[in-house]
Amino acid sequence: MSEKAFQDYYPDDLNHCYGCGRLNKHGLQIKSYWDGDESVCTFHPKPYHMGNPGYVYGGLMASLIDCHGTGTAAAAAYRKEGRAMDTDPPLRFFTASLHVDYVRPTPLDGPLKLRGRVKEIKGRKVVVTITLAAQGNVCVRGEVMAVQMREHLRKGDR
Amino acid sequence: MSEKAFQDYYPDDLNHCYGCGRLNKHGLQIKSYWDGDESVCTFHPKPYHMGNPGYVYGGLMASLIDCHGTGTAAAAAYRKEGRAMDTDPPLRFFTASLHVDYVRPTPLDGPLKLRGRVKEIKGRKVVVTITLAAQGNVCVRGEVMAVQMREHLRKGDR
């Protein structure tokens, strides 16, 4: 596993996202890394991130899947180009669609472990499938279709 | 539009959800109402609910769709039974699956308007389609498959 997270390479002007922005002090600040061909992310939910008492809120898990998905998409695009994430031009992705299946209730007392895998990478589009596990059980499955931002979109007008 | 929100009728022991729980002081506390055959919810995002600068975070919108969906499912189930939401037994739904399409970037400076419609209601399952609009434009489309909790599930072991 690499030491620096995907999100630590995002350009500062695109690093304010509530889910994964290093510069959003109110946000979740998730961190994603390669583990071989899979991407991994561990998140420690707060007690107030509950849905029903004792279980994690589904919207939080959708958010984690969303940002771990776009992060994995970016990292995969750099890998495909055979270059490191600190090289230019920067590649950043937004979410076109998100699907989440809640397989079983997710206990709130412990870390959530996400694992992502690139299902498809073609042109500006990357599809990432993600599992979210707690206490050793896969509780949620997600899929993110991420699309690479065009340069001008970074200026705030996509 | 009724004066009391769907969520205001949830039993106290199931009213701690980060997205819609009246008793979660850290949460989003969304409120949903009937407007004829559609359910409506207005949410004012905070400045830190951003994805890219100037735009709303997709995970927040997935969360709003999730909770507006389960709220609409519950309200629809009471309607189908021809009784008010303050009558027993209480009906409460969890999310089985969630799909979100991000049609266009959602501007952060203004309220988000969600409208839900029951697509299917059969047995314990309710499917709700939802649009999310900002500044008069539909920016996001979602679909929630909600399933009614069994009574014993309310004790924390679903």
Side-chain angles (χ1 to χ4, degrees):
Chain A
M1 194 183 292
S2 58
E3 289 184 357
K4 200 168 167 181
F6 303 161
Q7 292 82 8
D8 294 331
Y9 292 106
Y10 291 170
D12 280 358
D13 61 332
L14 293 177
N15 216 329
H16 298 272
C17 173
Y18 182 83
C20 58
R22 182 175 50 81
L23 303 175
N24 190 327
K25 65 182 179 182
H26 298 282
L28 306 175
Q29 298 196 343
I30 75 159
K31 301 291 184 190
S32 305
Y33 306 87
W34 283 124
D35 179 22
D37 283 342
E38 293 190 334
S39 61
V40 295
C41 168
T42 299
F43 185 82
H44 297 266
K46 306 283 187 193
Y48 54 79
H49 284 139
M50 76 171 66
N52 290 319
Y55 297 112
V56 181
Y57 172 48
L60 173 80
M61 297 188 286
S63 299
L64 299 176
I65 287 168
D66 180 5
C67 283
H68 186 56
T70 51
T72 301
Y78 282 98
R79 264 198 175 178
K80 190 180 179 192
E81 294 189 4
R83 60 187 177 92
M85 291 187 77
D86 57 358
T87 58
D88 283 324
L91 303 175
R92 188 80 162 82
F93 284 69
F94 64 89
T95 307
S97 74
L98 170 68
H99 186 88
V100 184
D101 289 314
Y102 299 94
V103 181
R104 70 181 77 202
T106 308
L108 186 57
D109 54 342
L112 308 177
K113 304 268 190 180
L114 292 97
R115 298 192 77 87
R117 184 171 278 275
V118 176
K119 179 180 175 184
E120 181 185 344
I121 179 166
K122 189 175 180 183
R124 294 171 55 232
K125 189 178 88 172
V126 183
V127 179
V128 181
T129 58
I130 294 171
T131 59
L132 183 151
Q135 298 179 359
N137 296 313
V138 171
C139 301
V140 181
R141 295 181 185 278
E143 183 166 303
V144 174
M145 182 190 297
V147 175
Q148 189 187 329
M149 291 180 199
R150 293 197 177 90
E151 177 63 20
H152 73 277
L153 302 179
R154 296 185 45 205
K155 309 305 181 192
D157 59 351
R158 80 165 164 93
Chain B
M1 195 184 294
S2 57
E3 289 184 356
K4 201 167 167 181
F6 302 162
Q7 293 82 9
D8 293 332
Y9 293 105
Y10 291 170
D12 281 359
D13 62 331
L14 293 177
N15 216 329
H16 298 273
C17 173
Y18 183 82
C20 58
R22 183 174 51 80
L23 303 175
N24 191 326
K25 64 181 180 184
H26 298 282
L28 305 175
Q29 299 197 342
I30 75 158
K31 300 292 183 189
S32 306
Y33 306 87
W34 283 124
D35 180 24
D37 283 342
E38 293 190 334
S39 61
V40 295
C41 167
T42 299
F43 185 82
H44 297 265
K46 305 284 188 193
Y48 55 78
H49 284 138
M50 78 171 66
N52 290 319
Y55 298 111
V56 181
Y57 172 48
L60 173 80
M61 296 188 286
S63 299
L64 300 176
I65 287 168
D66 180 4
C67 284
H68 186 54
T70 52
T72 300
Y78 282 98
R79 263 200 176 179
K80 190 182 180 193
E81 293 189 4
R83 59 187 178 93
M85 292 188 75
D86 57 358
T87 59
D88 282 326
L91 303 174
R92 187 81 162 82
F93 284 69
F94 64 89
T95 307
S97 73
L98 170 69
H99 186 87
V100 184
D101 290 313
Y102 299 94
V103 181
R104 69 181 78 201
T106 308
L108 186 56
D109 54 343
L112 307 177
K113 303 270 192 180
L114 292 97
R115 297 193 78 86
R117 183 171 280 276
V118 176
K119 181 181 175 182
E120 182 185 344
I121 178 166
K122 189 174 180 183
R124 294 172 56 233
K125 189 179 86 171
V126 182
V127 179
V128 181
T129 57
I130 295 171
T131 59
L132 183 153
Q135 299 179 358
N137 296 312
V138 171
C139 300
V140 181
R141 295 180 186 280
E143 184 167 302
V144 174
M145 184 190 297
V147 175
Q148 189 187 330
M149 291 181 200
R150 292 197 178 91
E151 177 64 20
H152 73 275
L153 302 179
R154 295 185 45 205
K155 310 304 180 193
D157 60 349
R158 83 163 164 94

